[in-house]
Amino acid sequence: MLLAAPTDSAARVPIVSIARVDVADLPRSAGSPFFPRLRAAAGQVSLRAPDPRQATRWHPHAIGGVRWRLAQPLTFTPYASVQPCSARCGFCSENLRKADGGVPASLLRPDHGYFDGLARALRALRGVPLSWSLSGLETSDEAGWMLRLLDTLAAAEAGDGPIVEDRVLYSNGAGFAKPDGSGLRRALQDFGLSWLELSRHHHDGAANQAIMRFRPGLAIADQAVFERTAQQLASAMPLRMVCILQRDGIARPPDVAAYLSWARERCGAGTVVFREFSRLDGSYRENATARYLQAQRVPMDALLAACLDDDGVSRGWTVESLTEGYYFWNLRLRTADGLAVIFESSDYGAMHERHASGDIYKLVYFADGKLCAGWEPGHDVLLDTRSSREHADA
């Protein structure tokens, strides 16, 4: 999947009038030519990216004997890579490659010591306020691994681990359409999942399969199976449908309208998220994935403006909020019949700048046993749980 934007919990996220915000403090959305219109429509902005000068937006904490400032809010991802993903989306950021090399996270596989190492990493985060953001490849592909993951996270919450605010899973749904899918669904309910973000990039089954390319024999590729699975999930927990915009998929206002109708009526979604391909900086190699992103990109500014200008699409929509994150922005609206709709854009260059700042904006635990401050294994390592030397974690 594409790197997921952080969960949008309201915890520790100040909401202020846009009139009081300097445009310089809104580098992502303010950099968009569409921002003046967003500014006028939203009236207020939720600032997820903490001001470096505002002490209350940072949590000081020692990891491996080193003191850090952890941004608030903060998300933790136990990166799922127990096996290759059930889908083979051409745009998947897990197939992007950095120019400076390194082993991609998608190629790392957990060994028998993985969960002991994860538990150790979580003990090192004792008392840290954060949210679970469960993503990577496809978490639900291996039911046994996913169930043990949920147990490990729940044990950390109940014991000497972090203080957890939200629990979010990003999924293509493949595991939930298998015979043991009902068990996974119940486990997520017991886990207290805040919401599930379910990926489907077209409302037509054949068109979606051309985009997601599920592996042969997987039931989730079938349109009727997907819709039934989505309805089952929606009956058990808040469901957000996620659609990545692309030229061969959802690209025009009529596409948006058709997808919204389908997601609400056939899948039971309470929220639909439309995401633009993340914008890349010059640190990535030119490979098939990078070329796909370039050829298939649908600019968020143009599509959002076209939707708002098309009364047949946006009649009855109301603007609820504009959120500014540390590498993304999104505009949240609501349709006349109550469906929440989010349009979102992100910038990997901005993400890399934040990660290089010396402060911590993201926590990822990889299959090699290393806790890192970002999405690159071996970079910004905070703790190596396979080290023979015990560190004092406080």
Side-chain angles (χ1 to χ4, degrees), residues 36-61:
R37 188 167 178 180
L38 297 182
R39 181 186 183 122
Q44 62 184 25
V45 60
S46 300
L47 296 174
R48 278 190 62 93
D51 186 331
R53 302 160 295 184
Q54 191 176 1
T56 58
R57 297 294 306 282
W58 299 89
H59 182 87
H61 189 75

Side-chain angles (χ1 to χ4, degrees), residues 83-383:
Q83 65 186 53
C85 186
S86 46
R88 296 163 294 174
C89 304
F91 56 80
C92 182
S93 65
E94 308 308 327
N95 294 323
L96 290 170
R97 296 292 179 261
K98 298 296 289 292
D100 58 3
V103 178
S106 60
L107 299 182
L108 297 174
R109 300 287 176 259
D111 64 13
H112 66 280
Y114 174 85
F115 288 106
D116 289 340
L118 175 59
R120 179 183 170 190
L122 296 175
R123 288 194 297 271
L125 299 172
R126 181 173 60 250
V128 174
L130 53 75
S131 294
W132 303 136
S133 179
L134 311 183
S135 65
L137 300 183
E138 177 49 45
T139 305
S140 73
D141 277 345
E142 217 301 310
W145 187 89
M146 178 177 167
L147 292 174
R148 191 169 178 189
L149 171 67
L150 297 179
D151 287 345
T152 303
L153 299 180
E157 288 191 50
D160 55 355
I163 300 170
V164 178
E165 297 164 348
D166 284 322
R167 304 160 188 85
V168 181
L169 172 66
Y170 299 83
S171 176
N172 64 32
F176 298 101
K178 295 178 180 179
D180 52 3
S182 60
L184 295 181
R185 194 168 66 245
R186 288 192 298 271
L188 288 178
Q189 288 179 293
D190 294 342
F191 183 62
L193 197 74
S194 303
W195 70 86
L196 188 151
E197 299 214 359
L198 185 62
S199 296
R200 197 75 168 184
H201 307 304
H202 205 284
H203 50 279
D204 175 80
N208 182 76
Q209 178 60 8
I211 293 170
M212 297 188 74
R213 301 186 300 169
F214 283 106
R215 296 179 188 276
L218 287 175
I220 198 67
D222 180 79
Q223 185 76 347
V225 171
F226 176 83
E227 291 173 357
R228 181 170 64 250
T229 300
Q231 291 166 2
Q232 291 168 344
L233 290 167
S235 70
M237 63 201 73
L239 179 66
R240 297 185 179 187
M241 297 284 293
V242 177
C243 174
I244 307 298
L245 304 171
Q246 51 205 292
R247 291 188 181 277
D248 289 342
I250 303 303
R252 302 174 301 117
D255 303 332
V256 169
Y259 188 98
L260 290 174
S261 177
W262 169 76
R264 182 183 64 251
E265 297 172 8
R266 302 290 299 176
C267 302
T271 301
V272 172
V273 183
F274 294 106
R275 288 193 174 119
E276 181 184 29
F277 289 148
S278 294
R279 299 171 191 236
L280 305 182
D281 59 13
S283 65
Y284 293 94
R285 298 177 188 172
E286 179 77 7
N287 67 0
T289 303
R291 290 190 293 272
Y292 186 103
L293 298 180
Q294 183 177 16
Q296 288 284 327
R297 178 177 299 281
V298 173
M300 176 60 75
D301 295 344
L303 178 63
L304 180 51
C307 286
L308 295 178
D309 289 339
D310 188 332
D311 193 49
V313 174
S314 60
R315 183 185 297 113
W317 288 11
T318 56
V319 174
E320 293 195 337
S321 63
L322 173 65
T323 297
E324 185 65 40
Y326 80 91
Y327 73 98
F328 76 98
W329 63 263
N330 66 43
L331 183 69
R332 186 184 183 98
L333 309 108
R334 192 161 302 268
T335 66
D337 55 6
L339 181 68
V341 184
I342 298 173
F343 290 88
E344 187 168 88
S345 177
S346 60
D347 184 333
Y348 283 3
M351 179 179 69
H352 295 148
E353 289 175 11
R354 298 281 194 178
H355 290 178
S357 68
D359 292 322
I360 296 177
Y361 290 84
K362 176 66 186 177
L363 294 170
V364 185
Y365 182 76
F366 293 106
D368 62 0
K370 294 176 182 176
L371 175 66
C372 298
W375 292 98
E376 298 176 60
H379 291 259
D380 302 314
V381 177
L382 304 174
L383 182 69

